[in-house]
Amino acid sequence: MTQQHQPIRDRHRHGILVRGVVQGVGFRPFVYRLALEEGLAGFIGNDTDGVTIEVEGPSPALSSFLARLRAEAPPLSRIDSVDLREIPPIGEAGFHIAASEVLGRVSTGIPADAATCPDCLRELLSPADRRYRYPFLNCTNCGPRYTITRRIPYDRPQTSMACFKMCAACQSEYDDPANRRFHAQPNACWDCGPQLTLLSADGSLIPAADPVAATINLLADGQILAIKGIGGFHLAVDATSEPAVQRLRQRKRRYGKPLAVMVRDLTAARLLCRLTEAEEALLTTPARPIVLAHRRPDAAIASSVAPGIPWLGIFLPYAPLHHLLFADGRLQALVMTSANLSEEPIAIHNAEARARLAEIADAFLMHDREILQRCDDSVMALVDGAPQLIRRARGFVPLGVPLPLDAPPLLAVGGHLKNVFALARGRFVYQSQHLGDLENLTGLDFFRESLDHLMRTFEIEPQAVVHDLHPGYLSTTWAKQWAAERGLPLIAVQHHHAHIAACMAEHSLDAPTIGISLDGTGYGADGRIWGGEVLITQLGSFERFAHLAYVSMPGGDAAVKEPWRMALGALHAAGFDVESEQIVKLLGAQPSEVRVLLRMIERSINSPMTSSLGRLFDAVAAVVLNRRVVDYEAQAAIELEGIAVEEPDRFEQGNYVPELHEADEGSGSVAVIRTGKLWKAVLDDLWRGVPARRIAARFHAGVAEGFINAAANARIETDINTVALSGGCMANRRLARLLRAGLEEEGFTVLQHRNVSPGDGGLSYGQAAVAAATLRL
Ligand SMILES: [Zn+2]
Ligand SMILES: [Zn+2]
């Protein structure tokens, strides 16, 4: 740095604090270049919560610097605030990057993993570049972050790149503030970085001068490859080959659930799906999520990729290796699914993958950069015109989501299925990646491992533990034990209260709200299973205003896997004679089966009561689509939405609208939403030969109107004019659209999820918001 001092006349100096995601994302070199271009002196350094900048020079240059600071910030950064103060100029010359220690403790932030940037992609495919076809190139604007970091601070020795010593060429890029790779922690090249190896199923090395080319040959030949990526292994097959996809399904024991497809680029994506501009924007964000989009009827894709539904989960290459797999044009589309048996955690270690996937994969494309954090691909969909997170994982974790109130350090353990836990402190909640179902010890190990990691990463020592009200959840049992060992207080939060609080907190709302939580499940305050709820909600408390009428679930969990049982329970509750010949036939059941279930219901044997809308969808799908059993969660409901996709939204709903009645005593609710007339309308239409797609569309519209009526009644009683929509059913785009449109026509302000999942993946964020409000009181 030069220290030749300048005359102070006509000069000003600003002290600037920038808060947000500004570390490990190329922010300091960006500011360095900006200051040089504007001819300003001063310095930039990381500090505890962001970066500190001091700049000095003439006013016009300072104004331009400030404008460009926001406008041209690096792609992976996120500026939350810029605080500016005038300080006396000191006549400094030159601009420099201060060493971190000068400004105190380095911030604890670790950025999220990001897709290969356009500059790196250009190098990857340029024969003249020294990184031509190097599968691990990256820079400060792209590459792995969270998944390769062991602990803070985010610095190369703390990452799984520590064992690779940079060559002189890489080191000089790393040290040069004007270089795109300045302090790019995973910086590497052919000479000094990780390398690929190709192994056969028995673990022997497949000799290949170019493992990528050999892999392409195997894939084109219909083989199943386990490919190590950023957050774990994928199982990959040629998505255009029906036999290859079938074989993968057989071996993975995953029969109906849709598989995600990676395509070469946007042009290839457009050939498979009808994409809106907003969907294309989602596909190309640095997080590169899987996006659920409308499949073209003529899409060149094996039909067993996503049977029975009109959508396809597609995504674009996000690691250099993925780009290389598509580069020579032989492969058009690859099924890329998490390498696990269904709902087990994704495999990340080489030996672990070989052991767990030996029966599935024909070959393994491995590398020697360790993955330290499992992280599945994120899933998003455009719901009602706005992006919504269905599964929040790679590319989003561990970015914090703001809270509208201060939280003490706390741990919220989330739910049971699709578990995500959260750590909160101050105005931020840090959610873990999607962990899958907490039904077994593997799931619980993944939970513990990720919790340790996030606690270290953010240096958060919880002072309270928040869990779901359900006494039987593994997460609840674990939370109680963990809190007891540490002498910490416990806070139990009702499932749907957490859903609505999550939506409110996401919108910085801390005032009474009408919450509509539509979901598959959720342990209620009365010990029954809730899921079709209108709740008058504050962050710290709620009252039940209305709920779907209770019906029996004969067989409990068996009724979730066999929707015809749900249909029987619902029709019985609605007053139909389920032993009549017509209905037995409709259920696709034997009279003896029906008798057994009926007896279970009448004697209350293993037949819990539920007000769940998810279960109502299952029941209607069972009779309308003859869907007796499901292969995966919510399959029946998803198919019911899918079949209606080309139908108009609105009808004369008439009898399809569930009716609002005064609630029975003891339910703790004001009103109940009854479905007797709705069921009659469904059966009448069915027997009159009305097509299933039309019945499905009417059912969606009727249900939406029923809940809108309930909200309107709640407004009369409470004068509240804001509605928050949440719960797993909000992933149903038709339902979300109908509810929002209908509520807005009624003059309501409507809040929908954006950065937090409406499903159980969002629970822990809501639990944290409820706990913060509870502890404040
Ligand atoms: Zn890059
Ligand atoms: Zn190198």
Side-chain angles (χ1 to χ4, degrees), residues 116-117 119-120 138-142 180-181:
T116 307
C117 73
D119 289 329
C120 284
N138 63 81
C139 71
T140 44
N141 298 325
C142 72
R180 198 172 95 245
R181 296 194 163 89

Side-chain angles (χ1 to χ4, degrees), residues 130 166-167 170 188-189 191-192:
R130 73 183 189 93
M166 271 186 276
C167 66
C170 285
C189 75
D191 293 335
C192 65

Side-chain angles (χ1 to χ4, degrees), residues 719-771:
D719 272 342
I720 301 169
N721 199 48
T722 301
V723 175
L725 298 173
S726 191
C729 298
M730 297 315 298
N732 180 321
R733 283 168 276 188
R734 174 174 286 261
L735 186 63
R737 191 163 74 218
L738 284 162
L739 281 168
R740 204 253 315 139
L743 287 163
E744 284 181 356
E745 274 169 31
E746 291 287 326
F748 283 106
T749 302
V750 183
L751 308 179
Q752 285 168 289
H753 283 280
R754 294 294 173 251
N755 297 310
V756 174
S757 166
D760 286 5
L763 277 180
S764 56
Y765 173 74
Q767 289 172 346
V770 172

Side-chain angles (χ1 to χ4, degrees), residues 569-641:
L571 286 166
H572 174 71
F576 289 85
D577 174 10
V578 292
E579 287 185 289
S580 71
E581 202 183 318
Q582 256 184 326
I583 292 189
V584 172
K585 188 163 161 253
L586 198 63
L587 296 171
Q590 297 299 323
S592 57
E593 288 180 300
V594 171
R595 258 195 310 280
V596 171
L597 293 198
L598 203 53
R599 203 159 306 146
M600 285 171 68
I601 292 172
E602 281 162 359
R603 297 181 186 172
S604 305
I605 301 165
N606 191 20
S607 297
M609 301 294 276
T610 185
S611 60
S612 153
L613 182 67
R615 295 290 88 81
L616 178 62
F617 266 84
D618 283 353
V620 170
V623 299
V624 175
L625 305 176
N626 289 319
R627 171 55 73 189
R628 253 178 76 91
V629 293
V630 293
D631 294 322
Y632 59 93
E633 202 214 343
Q635 180 180 11
I638 290 169
E639 288 174 347
L640 198 66
E641 183 197 352

